[in-house]
Amino acid sequence: MVSALLSIGQISKRTGVSISAIRYYETEGLVKPSRNAGGQRRFRRSDIRRLSFVLIAQQLGFSIGQIRQQIRTLPDERTPTQRDWAKISRRFRRELDERIAGLTIMRDRLDGCIGCGCLSLRNCALYNAQDRASAKGPGPRYLMGDLPS
Amino acid sequence: MVSALLSIGQISKRTGVSISAIRYYETEGLVKPSRNAGGQRRFRRSDIRRLSFVLIAQQLGFSIGQIRQQIRTLPDERTPTQRDWAKISRRFRRELDERIAGLTIMRDRLDGCIGCGCLSLRNCALYNAQDRASAKGPGPRYLMGDLPS
DNA sequence: CCTTGACCTAAAGTAAGGTTGAGGTATTAG
DNA sequence: CTAATACCTCAACCTTACTTTAGGTCAAGG
């Protein structure tokens, strides 16, 4: 019988996410299925979208933690609307834009390096890439400080 | 005294790569320092460039294995020339180009999705993203087959 | 009623890319 | 010469994102 709620097996088949991964996502707070009398998970249809979102976000390179941040902005009780998802899509778009811009900068710098073959010398522009790529954390700050004699 | 060869501590300071990471990279075949009489590692100056290369490649998202593939093309005995590095830079440039192109496709698809808010519906273009993003492996192929009623 | 298949939990295992710690040796400054 | 660093190896541990295994329960068909 086809009920309004889905078992874990059914939602796994519909989303392509493995059963074990879905259980893991629950521990990570990415989905919050209810339980039936026997303790089995029951998913809403809107969870299909949630899980597809997780899949897409991962392909875009987001970590579980980052995805959780985004998903938290969804309403917990009512089924998310298109507007709810659209807001998230826009955030993603901005992220992608930044990522593309970053890679483009990298590529252009690399172009400058092809001629000189420097890649590791103190005057190579790629050295500064760290400023952009890993803004947080200490990282190798002293890369530039030491002149090879 | 400043010799032609560098200790692990010296090369760590010059490259910003931690000592433990350098040792790890040796086990992974990314650097091959010689040893002095007492068994301590001695690095050539050109290893500074090698390690910087590893750092840069990782920022570009390459795995240790992929980096090893690239580094293998360097001469083992003579110090790599600018031409040797330039060849690698060009391969990187191609990779970056592909990566940028892929993300741009993603972004354009996402644009199409913002309007409809679909993101997980069977007609969402992002579903096909998997074709490009994970060409290898089975993956969730049946994502599209099942119409939510 | 009984079997089969789907489901449950908790714990351990996996791979990548390292870091940390213990116990011991080398090198170098004074 | 001696103490303080720096270095050595090996093994264990860490994080992320899961999968696998073991041992047991639930649900549906015949």
Side-chain angles (χ1 to χ4, degrees):
Chain A
M1 193 222 152
V2 179
S3 98
L5 296 175
L6 302 165
S7 71
I8 197 169
Q10 292 171 324
I11 202 162
S12 168
K13 273 183 190 125
R14 275 177 183 287
T15 58
V17 180
S18 75
I19 291 181
S20 62
I22 295 173
R23 292 203 187 107
Y24 172 68
Y25 292 157
E26 185 184 1
T27 73
E28 290 295 313
L30 301 187
V31 273
K32 307 191 201 308
S34 54
R35 301 293 178 125
N36 73 358
Q40 299 193 353
R41 290 172 181 82
R42 290 303 171 230
F43 294 85
R44 301 192 237 165
R45 283 184 177 283
S46 61
D47 287 331
I48 294 175
R49 190 175 289 207
R50 237 172 218 258
L51 287 175
S52 301
F53 169 78
V54 172
L55 233 43
I56 291 170
Q58 285 192 314
Q59 294 200 357
L60 297 182
F62 294 96
S63 71
I64 299 272
Q66 293 173 315
I67 297 172
R68 185 170 39 225
Q69 295 301 316
Q70 297 297 317
I71 266 187
R72 257 191 206 146
T73 70
L74 290 173
D76 237 38
E77 276 319 308
R78 87 177 141 78
T79 290
T81 63
Q82 298 202 339
R83 288 179 65 91
D84 292 321
W85 287 112
K87 257 188 286 184
I88 291 186
S89 298
R90 267 189 291 272
R91 278 197 284 271
F92 267 31
R93 205 222 131 104
R94 281 195 290 276
E95 257 289 326
L96 278 180
D97 279 343
E98 278 174 34
R99 218 160 322 149
I100 289 170
L103 284 180
T104 303
I105 289 173
M106 283 285 209
R107 186 187 59 185
D108 294 345
R109 287 183 171 174
L110 199 50
D111 271 354
C113 281
I114 288 178
C116 69
C118 60
L119 256 184
S120 78
L121 297 178
R122 65 198 175 290
N123 54 351
C124 174
L126 280 169
Y127 267 172
N128 291 315
Q130 273 126 20
D131 300 345
R132 236 155 306 281
S134 63
K136 60 239 158 161
R141 260 317 143 249
Y142 39 102
L143 261 179
M144 320 275 309
D146 239 7
L147 311 183
S149 59
Chain B
M1 192 219 153
V2 178
S3 99
L5 296 174
L6 303 164
S7 72
I8 197 169
Q10 291 172 323
I11 202 161
S12 168
K13 271 182 192 127
R14 275 179 184 287
T15 59
V17 179
S18 73
I19 291 180
S20 63
I22 295 173
R23 293 202 186 107
Y24 174 67
Y25 292 158
E26 184 185 3
T27 73
E28 291 295 313
L30 301 187
V31 272
K32 306 190 202 308
S34 54
R35 302 293 178 124
N36 72 357
Q40 301 194 351
R41 291 172 181 81
R42 289 302 172 231
F43 295 84
R44 301 193 237 164
R45 282 183 178 283
S46 61
D47 287 330
I48 295 176
R49 190 176 289 208
R50 239 173 216 259
L51 288 173
S52 301
F53 170 77
V54 172
L55 231 44
I56 292 171
Q58 285 193 313
Q59 293 200 357
L60 297 181
F62 294 95
S63 69
I64 298 272
Q66 294 173 315
I67 297 172
R68 185 169 39 224
Q69 295 302 316
Q70 298 297 317
I71 268 188
R72 259 193 204 142
T73 70
L74 290 174
D76 237 39
E77 276 318 308
R78 88 177 142 77
T79 290
T81 64
Q82 298 202 339
R83 288 179 65 91
D84 293 321
W85 286 112
K87 259 189 282 184
I88 292 186
S89 298
R90 266 190 292 273
R91 279 197 283 272
F92 267 31
R93 207 222 129 106
R94 282 195 288 278
E95 257 290 324
L96 278 179
D97 279 344
E98 279 174 33
R99 200 117 29 107
I100 290 170
L103 284 180
T104 304
I105 288 173
M106 283 284 211
R107 185 188 59 186
D108 293 345
R109 286 183 171 175
L110 198 52
D111 270 355
C113 280
I114 288 177
C116 70
C118 60
L119 255 187
S120 79
L121 297 178
R122 65 197 173 291
N123 53 352
C124 174
L126 278 170
Y127 267 172
N128 291 315
Q130 272 122 23
D131 302 344
R132 235 155 306 282
S134 63
K136 52 166 196 202
R141 261 314 145 248
Y142 39 100
L143 261 178
M144 320 273 309
D146 239 9
L147 310 183
S149 59

